[in-house]
Amino acid sequence: MKIACSIGAGPAEAAPWVAEIARALPQAQVSVDAVDADYAVVWRAPQAFYDRQTRLKAIFNAGAGVDAVLSMRLPPGAQVIRLEDAGMGAQMVEYVVHAVLRHVRRFDRYAALQADRQWKPLPPERKVDWPVGILGMGILGRAVADALRALGFPVLGWTRTPRDEVGVHAGEAGFAPFLAGTRILVDMLPLTPQTRDLIDARVFAQLKAPAYFINVARGDHVVEADLLAALDAGALEGATLDVCRDEPAAPDHPFWRHPRIVLTPHVSAVTLRSESVAQIVEKITAFERGAPVSGLVSRERGY
Ligand code: OXD
């Protein structure tokens, strides 16, 4: 069995993945430049990598979002398979819970008051006044929803297809009621042609004002000028953004210095190599046995 591995910037980044997969699957030939491999393990692999593969059975994406894989010309028969949690759920929970509490408990305001040596308690906030709406209720969205509910926040969700679940709205018809019930909007959607530019002025205007926005998904979901305008107009009190349209953000990008934006460099849930390799190896083994494999991506749906 041949496994080709293309992770990130180049062979040096892929080397520890190659070593770890080879250790777990001693019968496999694993390398960065395998041609006509059976399986591929990728993170932002270039087109040239896929062009060397004619008989891939499956492509394993070493990250949460598969948009970069699906934007390539892929060998037609290859199944695209995503990681399922693999240690990302806990990180997402920490990131989003931190951002929500930081805002609702007014820690940024207290930091400003401390800088000004002002001992000034602010009025207490009630969680019931801060319903959180999660766009995208996949494995990670669900983990975040459960954690916020456990803390006492009202939580709503929005999904593409209807679900029989209280508080979860679906499809176009469910979008407006979802937004109307949401004060803290958390973007956890996959990037597809339908979700590109989805979050715009009309979305910000429909939230319970003054609202807050957290993006741990993709910058391309957001019309950035509309986000800045919503902050200026007071529809949004602030935003925590782990992603932006062009990454890394250019030095003159307005997000860097905006007083009400917290910007982090796409680190809300990083891929953990050992957890990911263990999951990929398990799935390859199942694939070889002809057993069912979970995490299959629909190329048509885009996630
Ligand atoms: C992603 C990731 O898909 O970092 O953004 O895993």
Side-chain angles (χ1 to χ4, degrees):
M1 180 204 319
K2 274 206 262 180
I3 302 177
C5 194
S6 173
I7 301 284
E13 207 174 323
W17 285 79
V18 169
E20 208 158 326
I21 297 168
R23 251 197 317 276
L25 286 173
Q27 73 281 22
Q29 283 172 259
V30 192
S31 69
V32 287
D33 47 14
V35 174
D36 292 339
D38 300 283
Y39 298 101
V41 178
V42 301
W43 178 244
R44 300 196 186 284
Q47 184 59 53
F49 172 84
Y50 295 106
D51 291 344
R52 290 195 295 271
Q53 311 302 335
T54 55
R55 52 187 214 94
L56 281 180
K57 296 185 220 174
I59 301 167
F60 293 90
N61 183 52
V66 292
D67 43 296
V69 178
L70 297 184
S71 69
M72 296 290 153
R73 214 170 36 254
L74 302 177
Q79 180 69 61
V80 178
I81 301 177
R82 64 169 171 272
L83 285 179
E84 295 172 286
D85 194 320
M88 284 189 265
Q91 296 176 70
M92 263 317 175
V93 165
E94 289 159 5
Y95 187 99
V96 176
V97 165
H98 170 86
V100 167
L101 292 179
R102 175 178 171 157
H103 187 65
V104 172
R105 293 297 309 267
R106 305 300 191 190
F107 287 121
D108 286 330
R109 287 207 198 156
Y110 284 115
L113 288 166
Q114 179 182 352
D116 216 19
R117 300 181 195 205
Q118 286 201 56
W119 187 274
K120 187 177 164 207
L122 299 169
E125 295 287 339
R126 299 179 322 154
K127 288 181 189 141
V128 70
D129 295 328
W130 289 93
V132 183
I134 300 179
L135 279 171
M137 292 285 279
I139 291 180
L140 301 182
R142 222 161 243 287
V144 168
D146 290 346
L148 289 167
R149 271 198 201 105
L151 282 171
F153 286 93
V155 176
L156 295 83
W158 185 74
T159 59
R160 196 181 75 115
T161 43
R163 286 214 194 142
D164 193 10
E165 203 179 316
V166 181
V168 177
H169 299 266
E172 254 176 66
F175 202 45
F178 164 80
L179 295 175
T182 292
R183 186 155 177 211
I184 301 183
L185 181 68
V186 184
D187 178 14
M188 303 193 71
L189 286 169
L191 180 63
T192 68
Q194 289 75 36
T195 63
R196 187 177 294 277
D197 298 325
L198 178 75
I199 302 172
D200 60 6
R202 279 179 317 161
V203 165
F204 294 126
Q206 288 177 75
L207 299 172
K208 279 182 186 298
Y212 195 79
F213 178 52
I214 299 170
N215 193 355
V216 288
R218 287 290 181 265
D220 285 312
H221 291 151
V222 182
V223 179
E224 292 184 341
D226 290 4
L227 167 58
L228 292 167
L231 286 164
D232 286 348
L236 279 182
E237 276 189 334
T240 292
L241 308 173
D242 187 44
V243 288
C244 54
R245 286 188 92 99
D246 292 313
E247 296 179 8
D252 61 349
H253 196 294
F255 288 175
W256 284 117
R257 291 184 166 268
H258 197 290
R260 284 181 287 130
I261 288 180
V262 174
L263 181 65
T264 54
H266 203 138
V267 290
S268 50
V270 298
T271 298
L272 303 175
R273 191 173 59 240
S274 294
E275 281 82 345
S276 306
V277 167
Q279 194 175 103
I280 290 167
V281 164
E282 202 177 290
K283 287 178 197 261
I284 290 179
T285 310
F287 224 93
E288 287 291 290
R289 279 204 320 266
V293 174
S294 59
L296 304 186
V297 169
S298 151
R299 288 201 199 184
E300 196 193 8
R301 204 176 55 176
Y303 60 95

